[in-house]
Amino acid sequence: MRFTEFNFHPNLLEGIEASNYENATPVQEQVIPPIMAGKDVIASAQTGTGKTAAFGLPLLQLIDGNQRHPQALIVCPTRELCLQITNDLENFKKHNKNIYTEAVYGGASIMMQIRNLKRGVHIVVATPGRLIDLIERKAIDLQKVKYVVLDEADEMMNMGFRDDIDFVLKNTINRESTWLFS
Ligand code: AMP
């Protein structure tokens, strides 16, 4: 399936083209349509099969750029993955300057992350520990988060983040859909 068949905004299609993607990978083909139809999904696929774009592209399509508060939350197990997801999102949204993302992870200055969050962002990519810290400090507003993505959810369970994930889900009370990737 070609990306032009998904009804994405023209500026998102430009970002996809700039990333040199033409055809959707199998996980993208199976996951993008139900996600865009508002369904919850559970997707399991090998690493390197294009899972980031499978949730990243529909997220960028669904986010309302005019509402500058977190609308989507992506939780992942490591700082490296957090930065990689944020980087992929930056590339896809290169032609849509109106959407802001912020990566929040441990081992970096929390004050800087708080300051960036205060400026207003649409998508937050987070590791569990730092996210909980921000929630407890009331430095992140999750009231209007509609979409929650749990990336490498199996890995997060193996690393003992189960209680943290439950806490995050309890704090996203207006969540409309949850997408779990493993
Ligand atoms: P991921 O599984 O999300 O880490 O993606 C693995 C690699 O495949 C990354 O380098 C992506 O940029 C690339 N990729 C993802 N989707 C596509 C696609 N539809 N066409 C070409 N490359 C892709």
Side-chain angles (χ1 to χ4, degrees):
M1 200 165 165
R2 297 179 72 82
F3 282 104
T4 43
E5 294 173 60
F6 284 118
N7 273 333
F8 286 137
H9 298 308
N11 56 20
L12 184 54
L13 280 175
E14 277 184 60
I16 295 169
E17 239 171 68
S19 303
N20 287 322
Y21 295 4
E22 269 180 42
N23 297 307
T25 65
V27 66
Q28 291 161 358
E29 198 170 314
Q30 287 175 54
V31 155
I32 293 173
I35 281 184
M36 301 238 280
K39 298 204 167 118
D40 285 345
V41 298
I42 296 177
S44 177
Q46 297 288 326
T47 6
T49 50
K51 279 180 281 171
T52 315
F55 61 77
L57 296 173
L59 260 193
L60 290 168
Q61 169 82 16
L62 292 166
I63 293 293
D64 177 358
N66 296 319
Q67 307 285 319
R68 205 157 157 187
H69 49 68
Q71 293 169 48
L73 176 65
I74 302 166
V75 191
C76 63
T78 64
R79 166 202 170 109
E80 288 69 30
L81 187 57
C82 192
L83 289 168
Q84 193 192 314
I85 293 169
T86 313
N87 188 49
D88 284 359
L89 292 175
E90 293 293 334
N91 285 333
F92 300 145
K93 71 180 188 62
K94 228 183 234 154
H95 298 273
N96 188 349
K97 305 279 180 224
N98 209 16
I99 295 182
Y100 293 87
T101 57
E102 179 64 18
V104 295
Y105 47 84
S109 158
I110 196 166
M111 295 322 289
M112 189 89 91
Q113 293 173 356
I114 291 174
R115 205 184 61 195
N116 291 344
L117 288 171
K118 277 206 181 114
R119 286 197 198 132
V121 301
H122 301 86
I123 303 176
V124 177
V125 189
T127 52
R130 180 53 58 98
L131 180 59
I132 305 277
D133 199 349
L134 290 163
I135 295 171
E136 284 174 345
R137 289 175 189 231
K138 301 202 182 337
I140 187 165
D141 177 13
L142 300 178
Q143 291 300 310
K144 291 179 180 151
V145 167
K146 289 193 195 170
Y147 315 105
V148 173
V149 184
L150 303 177
D151 193 21
E152 298 207 352
D154 52 335
E155 196 57 33
M156 290 199 282
M157 295 303 130
N158 290 339
M159 290 166 79
F161 287 135
R162 174 69 200 248
D163 289 348
D164 289 355
I165 301 298
D166 284 344
F167 183 77
V168 170
L169 292 176
K170 267 194 211 120
N171 276 275
T172 46
I173 47 168
N174 293 310
R175 177 164 35 98
E176 289 173 9
S177 15
T178 314
W179 312 331
L180 187 151
F181 286 79
S182 72

